Amino acid sequence: ALLLYTSGSSGNPKGVLHNHRNVLVETRNYTQDARIVPEDRLSVWHSFSFANSIRNLFGALMNGAAVHPYDLPERGLMPLPEWVRANGITMIHTLATTFRAFADILPAGATFPSVRVLRLGGEAINTEDVARFRRHFPPPCVLMHVMGPTETFSIRRQFIDHEWRGEPGKVPVGYPVADKEVRLLDGDGRRVGPDEPGEIVVRSRYLAVGYWRQPEMTRAAFLPDPEGGDARLYFTGDLGVMRADGCLTHLGRKDFQVKIRGTRIETAEIEVALSQFDSIKASVVHAHPDPHGEPRLVAYIIAAPGHVPTFQEIRRGLGETLPDVMVPSRFVFLEEFPLLPNGKVDRGALPAPSGQRPPASGSHVAPRHLLEAQIADIWRDLLGVPEVGVHDDFFELGGDSLLAVRLIQRLEAEVGHELPLTLAMLFSAPTVAGLTEAMQREDSGE
């Protein structure tokens, strides 16, 4: 039926092959869990090739409901609240980072009474996200927190209403989905007991067929059910802990795979790309939270003898071979890596990136008038750097598409710019000076 690509550790993406039966079962489970009816109006904010979008497309069309696409990268967040209201959207399914950015632009009393299901999947959520949900989505709206690797589709879900009370911090991913059994196994393949951590293994008849043209990788991840029958086991590489009542909490990746803006990334793939630079002797890529609590990729680099690689050189080189979401936001240069007793890199001892401004190839020019100073102040806050020059590139300072959306909303709210700022404008003029000139041209009607 379809191929969904995820980042791979070998330097090449993996195509996850799903058949029609898997899509039908996922649609059935989604229909039953969310009780989709012909009167529903489902939104799609992400690419049609994203697993979450596929679920909503078929969830709507196979139930006689309506599907409403919204081009988030092109139109931005600012028109979205009115779009939700104008279209009478009843079900929203998005990522936690997108939801947070959406909630951040809303006035204190803004609500969406037409929405009855807010479904957040692809990333972990916390109790602050639940508070955001309660502020803006009144009863009887329900928050669905869902976990589902690309290889399995949904395997757990938690229903959270306005009466739900959970412990502060990470929200559990909840309880079983039909026809998807979750087992937690230790390093020897034995089941662990309640409240003991183990690898999340999924047993089902409805797993991905395998990895496209990767038979060895398929055999390593998908194993026959030792109990016989046509079910198989999928080893997710994720760690979890199960309460006695069957509620699952996701603890993170077993390896060094991370999720950035909802995209699953294996940091080894970025390290492979960095190894192609003559100026780099060794590298380690790790995720650290930025000043707003969002995970950002940080590349730790040991320069090759006689070379002094620059931030711009590395970022632009990576941009030629990797998608934007996989290009690190920060680069930290070290003399040596901290090591564990076994000689492996101690990732837990890698220093957090400081708020220092990355080294730039050009000279620093301070803002020259009020508008440039206002823009530079917003950049400093979003990017966590102490100073911004008018010729600094937003993306080379660590910005990405999500921070770009927040930048635009901040500019519209704080600078009072009435014209429709777009991501295209920022990408074409990514410096303070360039963006200032673009805004002034729009104001003058040129």
Side-chain angles (χ1 to χ4, degrees):
L2 50 87
L3 283 167
L4 301 173
Y5 276 86
T6 66
S7 169
S9 59
S10 63
N12 295 308
K14 299 179 293 186
V16 180
L17 179 64
H18 277 286
N19 57 26
H20 292 257
R21 184 178 66 171
N22 291 354
V23 177
L24 288 169
V25 167
E26 179 66 11
T27 304
R28 180 201 66 188
N29 289 343
Y30 188 25
T31 297
Q32 294 176 347
D33 284 345
R35 300 179 182 177
I36 305 174
V37 296
E39 291 75 23
D40 276 317
R41 305 168 78 86
L42 285 71
S43 65
V44 175
W45 296 0
H46 301 281
S47 163
F48 286 167
S49 60
F50 195 40
N52 288 349
S53 298
I54 290 166
R55 181 180 296 106
N56 281 280
L57 288 169
F58 286 107
L61 298 177
M62 297 187 71
N63 284 290
V67 59
H68 291 256
Y70 181 87
D71 191 340
L72 185 60
E74 175 62 27
R75 299 182 63 183
L77 278 171
M78 296 306 289
L80 192 52
E82 181 55 34
W83 179 88
V84 171
R85 295 188 184 98
N87 287 280
I89 299 300
T90 63
M91 296 177 63
I92 294 174
H93 182 185
T94 189
L95 303 169
T97 49
T98 306
F99 169 68
R100 290 166 192 150
F102 173 72
D104 287 347
I105 69 170
L106 298 175
T111 60
F112 301 90
S114 69
V115 179
R116 65 176 192 82
V117 176
L118 172 65
R119 189 181 195 272
L120 300 181
E123 299 174 297
I125 69 171
N126 54 48
T127 45
E128 179 55 34
D129 296 318
V130 176
R132 292 185 178 97
F133 153 71
R134 287 173 173 157
R135 283 196 294 268
H136 300 294
F137 296 86
C141 186
V142 173
L143 171 62
M144 288 180 63
H145 177 34
V146 184
M147 177 184 177
T150 305
E151 291 85 350
T152 67
F153 289 138
S154 303
I155 61 172
R156 288 274 152 161
R157 74 278 195 275
Q158 174 89 293
F159 297 95
I160 299 171
D161 60 18
H162 284 253
E163 303 303 318
W164 181 86
R165 294 291 179 267
E167 296 180 1
K170 186 181 292 187
V171 174
V173 291
Y175 298 90
V177 170
D179 298 307
K180 303 287 178 68
E181 178 192 352
V182 168
R183 300 175 176 180
L184 298 186
L185 305 182
D186 63 17
D188 296 321
R190 295 175 300 209
R191 294 198 193 195
V192 301
D195 300 320
E196 295 181 3
E199 180 176 1
I200 299 173
V201 178
V202 184
R203 176 181 178 270
S204 177
R205 296 173 58 211
Y206 308 108
L207 304 177
V209 177
Y211 298 111
W212 180 243
R213 296 179 177 174
Q214 298 279 357
E216 293 185 4
M217 189 178 295
T218 298
R219 285 192 292 270
F222 297 89
L223 276 64
D225 184 358
E227 299 173 11
D230 57 356
R232 290 179 298 150
L233 302 180
Y234 171 66
F235 287 71
T236 66
D238 289 283
L239 295 175
V241 62
M242 194 88 71
R243 292 197 316 230
D245 68 352
C247 183
L248 178 67
T249 297
H250 180 218
L251 300 179
R253 288 296 300 173
K254 181 181 176 182
D255 51 21
F256 306 126
Q257 197 176 76
V258 296
K259 277 205 172 181
I260 303 295
R261 307 194 315 262
T263 300
R264 194 176 72 183
I265 292 170
E266 291 180 4
T267 56
E269 184 175 352
I270 307 171
E271 293 167 4
V272 168
L274 287 168
S275 70
Q276 306 305 309
F277 287 78
D278 293 335
S279 58
I280 296 176
K281 176 183 177 182
S283 67
V284 172
V285 178
H286 196 55
H288 277 286
D290 69 5
H292 306 277
E294 298 290 349
R296 301 289 180 213
L297 291 172
V298 180
Y300 296 88
I301 293 171
I302 298 177
H307 291 81
V308 184
T310 67
F311 179 93
Q312 292 90 342
E313 168 195 342
I314 300 171
R315 183 175 176 84
R316 290 169 183 167
L318 290 177
E320 295 177 0
T321 58
L322 298 176
D324 176 69
V325 71
M326 296 183 67
V327 177
S329 299
R330 291 283 187 270
F331 295 82
V332 177
F333 293 91
L334 300 175
E335 294 292 330
E336 58 183 14
F337 296 136
L339 301 178
L340 294 166
N342 61 9
K344 295 183 178 181
V345 175
D346 184 357
R347 292 174 180 257
L350 291 168
S354 68
Q356 294 182 346
R357 183 177 178 274
S361 56
S363 58
H364 175 74
V365 178
R368 297 160 293 191
H369 52 74
L370 178 60
L371 182 55
E372 285 186 347
Q374 288 176 309
I375 295 174
D377 284 342
I378 296 172
W379 284 28
R380 277 199 297 270
D381 182 53
L382 287 175
L383 300 171
V385 294
E387 65 176 7
V388 173
V390 299
H391 300 305
D392 290 336
D393 188 295
F394 179 80
F395 300 99
E396 290 183 350
L397 288 180
D400 56 35
S401 58
L402 180 63
L403 288 175
V405 170
R406 288 180 172 169
L407 170 63
I408 290 172
Q409 76 184 52
R410 290 275 300 271
L411 287 171
E412 292 179 343
E414 299 176 27
V415 179
H417 191 72
E418 298 294 335
L419 296 170
L421 291 167
T422 66
L423 288 178
M425 183 183 293
L426 180 60
F427 281 114
S428 63
T431 66
V432 171
L435 188 58
T436 300
E437 293 173 2
M439 293 169 65
Q440 291 173 335
R441 283 197 303 268
E442 289 286 337
D443 283 330
S444 64
E446 296 180 11

